[in-house]
Amino acid sequence: MKALEWSRLTEITKTQKPYRGTTNRFPIGDRRHNTKDFVSEERNGEQVYSVRYGHTYKRHEHTKEEWQANQGTIHKREDYEGNIVYESYSSIPRELGIVRSDNTFEFTSAYYGQGDNQIMSNWARGWFLRSSRHGGMIYRTNDVLHPIFKGMRVYCETMMPHESSQYQVVGKRVSRKDAKEFLSRYTDFYKINEVMLKAMDWKGYMETMADVLKPLGITTENWQLHSAEQEKLVKFAEENLNTSPLDAGIAYALAYDVQNLFSRYRAFSDPNGSSYYNRAVELDVVFSNLKRKLNKELYKKNPSVMKLTEYEPNKPYPPSEWGVDITVNGKEVEQL
């Protein structure tokens, strides 16, 4: 992240004026690109630079009296436990990460989209991208490959992990002798879903989801899916894995709550519902997270069918249809 080095950002704070109306907000590059900025602030007694791009939404809770006085901006809904909730959402700058005085960048967001990856690639000497066969979001050059996880810290100059983020990568390989027949059906299922989701838009995906849920009698009456509904979706997915792989993928994703899909479907179905969830998610992100979750479930149920292989950290590791596990200090972390 050469463009985000501590010395460069510090120099900007000394040589450029902050944005109008602020004392600590500065441009990272062209001043006209005011949705790409950084803020100099103190966190936990430490001076840091918060690097931001675009906007996200922050949820606010309100009283019934506040809702009665501001029904245009405050919404009323019933949560999954039957409680009445009064809430509103405000747009706030979206943080990609923070730069510390030791010249490290920490990934603080829970999600990075295609636009984020492109911008961060421009700031680095490599490429950020999403690869389902490498477990999710990665950073790579010709000689380096890092899985990216929330809280990961890398040195801006070298893009090597900070001491707190030294990781281990364990890949899964199918033991074909024991499991070729069992897992072949999932191989085709993954390939078809990956291709179809690349060709679909969010609206089409939501409409297909409605077609899956309606025959199963699952409605948006409840805020969340009940366990019986989740079990029904898993059963449907297993029964339609080969005949309707896209429908099966949607059922799995709903059952395992990938990217809060049921909440997003409720918001899509009700224009007056939650504005927080009424936003599209890139479908390659949905596919990566579905694949990771389903692979873990398959491995739990059938550990004998896969062989685990540990790869050298910081080096390119081979793609795997069955995903990878990332651990830091012996604890598993979730790749973004």
Side-chain angles (χ1 to χ4, degrees):
M1 298 286 226
K2 292 291 291 183
L4 301 182
E5 287 199 353
W6 178 266
S7 59
R8 178 178 180 272
L9 299 187
T10 300
E11 183 68 16
I12 290 175
T13 65
K14 295 178 180 179
T15 58
Q16 295 196 35
K17 293 181 180 180
Y19 279 108
R20 182 179 300 175
T22 73
T23 59
N24 63 343
R25 176 176 168 246
F26 300 89
I28 292 175
D30 191 326
R31 194 176 189 87
R32 292 171 297 179
H33 300 165
N34 61 6
T35 60
K36 289 183 284 188
D37 62 23
F38 73 96
V39 171
S40 176
E41 61 186 21
E42 186 175 297
R43 293 190 186 178
N44 300 319
E46 177 186 9
Q47 192 68 26
V48 300
Y49 297 133
S50 170
V51 178
R52 312 181 310 178
Y53 169 62
H55 294 83
T56 186
Y57 292 92
K58 182 178 181 180
R59 179 177 179 274
H60 308 278
E61 292 187 359
H62 299 275
T63 64
K64 181 178 181 180
E65 290 72 26
E66 289 172 329
W67 168 72
Q68 290 173 332
N70 299 277
Q71 293 189 31
T73 56
I74 299 176
H75 305 286
K76 172 186 176 182
R77 67 172 177 83
E78 184 177 315
D79 67 16
Y80 69 96
E81 293 180 341
N83 301 313
I84 300 299
V85 176
Y86 305 98
E87 61 187 7
S88 65
Y89 293 86
S90 60
S91 176
I92 61 173
R94 180 167 170 267
E95 183 177 87
L96 297 181
I98 59 175
V99 178
R100 301 178 186 273
S101 59
D102 61 359
N103 204 31
T104 60
F105 178 85
E106 178 180 345
F107 296 87
T108 58
S109 179
Y111 162 75
Y112 294 87
Q114 184 176 349
D116 304 325
N117 287 336
Q118 182 176 350
I119 288 170
M120 293 192 298
S121 296
N122 293 336
W123 291 338
R125 291 177 173 174
W127 304 274
F128 288 93
L129 65 147
R130 183 166 298 279
S131 171
S132 66
R133 290 173 174 82
H134 289 91
M137 181 178 171
I138 60 172
Y139 168 82
R140 75 173 308 160
T141 65
N142 291 333
D143 305 313
V144 173
L145 194 156
H146 296 312
I148 304 299
F149 50 90
K150 186 176 181 180
M152 183 179 186
R153 290 171 65 181
V154 296
Y155 287 100
C156 293
E157 183 177 3
T158 64
M159 285 302 294
M160 287 293 109
H162 179 264
E163 290 74 10
S164 64
S165 300
Q166 299 293 328
Y167 61 84
Q168 293 76 44
V169 181
V170 175
K172 301 184 182 76
R173 292 189 301 116
V174 174
S175 175
R176 299 192 182 278
K177 180 180 178 182
D178 301 325
K180 183 177 180 180
E181 182 178 349
F182 170 76
L183 292 176
S184 63
R185 57 199 296 254
Y186 291 99
T187 303
D188 294 338
F189 164 77
Y190 283 145
K191 288 179 180 177
I192 292 171
N193 267 271
E194 185 171 24
V195 171
M196 294 189 74
L197 290 186
K198 285 181 179 178
M200 291 188 77
D201 61 14
W202 182 252
K203 182 174 182 290
Y205 188 68
M206 288 288 104
E207 290 173 345
T208 306
M209 188 173 291
D211 293 338
V212 171
L213 290 172
K214 188 175 181 179
L216 296 176
I218 298 176
T219 69
T220 58
E221 181 179 346
N222 296 313
W223 187 247
Q224 291 182 341
L225 291 170
H226 295 309
S227 58
E229 294 172 321
Q230 292 172 322
E231 291 171 4
K232 185 184 294 187
L233 284 163
V234 170
K235 182 180 179 183
F236 171 88
E238 292 291 335
E239 293 174 348
N240 292 272
L241 197 70
N242 295 65
T243 55
S244 301
L246 178 61
D247 292 353
I250 288 174
Y252 274 135
L254 285 164
Y256 295 134
D257 197 27
V258 173
Q259 296 297 124
N260 304 114
L261 272 182
F262 187 67
S263 295
R264 296 184 189 280
Y265 172 70
R266 289 183 80 256
F268 177 85
S269 304
D270 179 9
N272 297 319
S274 170
S275 58
Y276 179 82
Y277 287 113
N278 194 14
R279 293 178 291 160
V281 176
E282 292 177 24
L283 294 180
D284 63 335
V285 176
V286 173
F287 175 73
S288 294
N289 289 331
L290 167 62
K291 186 175 180 181
R292 181 189 303 127
K293 177 62 179 176
L294 188 53
N295 283 342
K296 288 184 182 296
E297 293 298 319
L298 288 173
Y299 182 70
K300 286 178 185 176
K301 296 175 182 177
N302 305 274
S304 63
V305 303
M306 295 185 189
K307 293 181 179 179
L308 304 182
T309 303
E310 186 170 349
Y311 300 117
E312 183 178 356
N314 310 326
K315 299 292 186 182
Y317 53 88
S320 170
E321 285 287 345
W322 311 106
V324 296
D325 291 332
I326 313 298
T327 58
V328 176
N329 295 323
K331 295 183 178 180
E332 186 173 352
V333 295
E334 186 167 314
Q335 194 171 347
L336 292 169

